[in-house]
């Protein structure tokens, strides 16, 4: 895990990661600067601010206003692509993450989740639209 228990690694500092395989384990240092990523610590944001920011990023916003956070997403997604053997190198992982953001693939997935969750919520509504809790017991 990253700093303070987050599963994300920061861009402003190196992180120690532990690679565990059936053949053993090893510790590595992940230095974002080695891959061209540089940033200050991310600011503390409210839940609503975080939601708005991630929506902008996955909707394809490439403005300088969200660059730090967008780079954070690209770096961490790229690491995972490599760790889960979807690409052959970290650089390929970062390129894939950036390409997927440009194509708005994450936004498409999020919209499918929203659509399905709304569909599911509608299915759970009582036919008369009343309060389902009144029918319990």
């Amino acid at each position: 895990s990253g700093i303070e228990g987050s599963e994300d690694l920061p861009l402003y500092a190196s992180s120690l990661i532990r690679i565990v395989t059936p053949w053993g384990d090893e510790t590595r240092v992940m230095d974002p600067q080695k891959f061209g990523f540089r940033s200050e610590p991310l600011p503390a944001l409210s839940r609503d601010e975080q939601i708005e920011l991630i929506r902008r990023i996955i909707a394809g916003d490439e403005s300088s206003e969200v660059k730090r956070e967008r780079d954070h997403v690209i770096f961490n997604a790229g690491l995972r692509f490599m760790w889960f053997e979807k690409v052959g190198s970290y650089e390929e992982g970062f390129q894939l993450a950036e390409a997927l953001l440009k194509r708005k693939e994450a936004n498409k997935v999020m919209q499918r989740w929203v659509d399905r969750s709304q569909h599911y919520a509608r299915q759970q509504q009582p036919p008369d639209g009343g309060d389902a809790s009144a029918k319990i017991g």
Side-chain angles (χ1 to χ4, degrees), residues 71-103:
D71 284 352
H72 184 85
V73 170
I74 290 169
F75 180 69
N76 280 279
L79 293 176
R80 284 161 178 79
F81 285 137
M82 177 63 185
W83 294 339
F84 294 111
E85 300 177 350
K86 301 298 181 190
V87 294
S89 70
Y90 289 115
E91 292 83 0
E92 286 178 39
F94 305 139
Q95 290 170 1
L96 177 58
E98 187 168 15
L100 291 171
L101 282 176
K102 284 184 182 210
R103 292 194 331 240

Side-chain angles (χ1 to χ4, degrees), residues 5-37:
S6 168
E7 67 275 5
D8 284 349
L9 276 62
L11 293 183
Y12 64 89
S14 296
S15 298
L16 289 176
I17 62 167
R18 192 107 178 132
I19 309 266
V20 179
T21 68
W23 306 277
D25 60 290
E26 65 181 81
T27 300
R28 291 188 189 162
V29 175
M30 290 302 302
D31 181 3
Q33 290 187 11
K34 174 183 173 186
F35 302 105
F37 291 94

Side-chain angles (χ1 to χ4, degrees), residues 30-120:
M30 290 302 302
D31 181 3
Q33 290 187 11
K34 174 183 173 186
F35 302 105
F37 291 94
R38 289 172 180 72
S39 178
E40 297 296 318
L42 295 174
L45 300 172
S46 71
R47 180 181 67 99
D48 291 340
E49 290 170 324
Q50 290 179 33
I51 290 169
E52 178 60 26
L53 208 76
I54 198 67
R55 283 186 175 158
R56 287 179 63 186
I57 292 167
I58 67 173
D61 187 340
E62 295 185 34
S63 70
S64 60
E65 192 176 304
V66 297
K67 181 182 182 346
R68 176 178 44 202
E69 291 82 359
R70 187 173 185 279
D71 284 352
H72 184 85
V73 170
I74 290 169
F75 180 69
N76 280 279
L79 293 176
R80 284 161 178 79
F81 285 137
M82 177 63 185
W83 294 339
F84 294 111
E85 300 177 350
K86 301 298 181 190
V87 294
S89 70
Y90 289 115
E91 292 83 0
E92 286 178 39
F94 305 139
Q95 290 170 1
L96 177 58
E98 187 168 15
L100 291 171
L101 282 176
K102 284 184 182 210
R103 292 194 331 240
K104 302 179 184 179
E105 294 299 326
N107 197 49
K108 293 172 190 173
V109 170
M110 185 182 75
Q111 191 56 54
R112 283 196 306 267
W113 286 352
V114 167
D115 293 345
R116 287 183 187 250
S117 65
Q118 289 173 350
H119 175 75
Y120 179 75

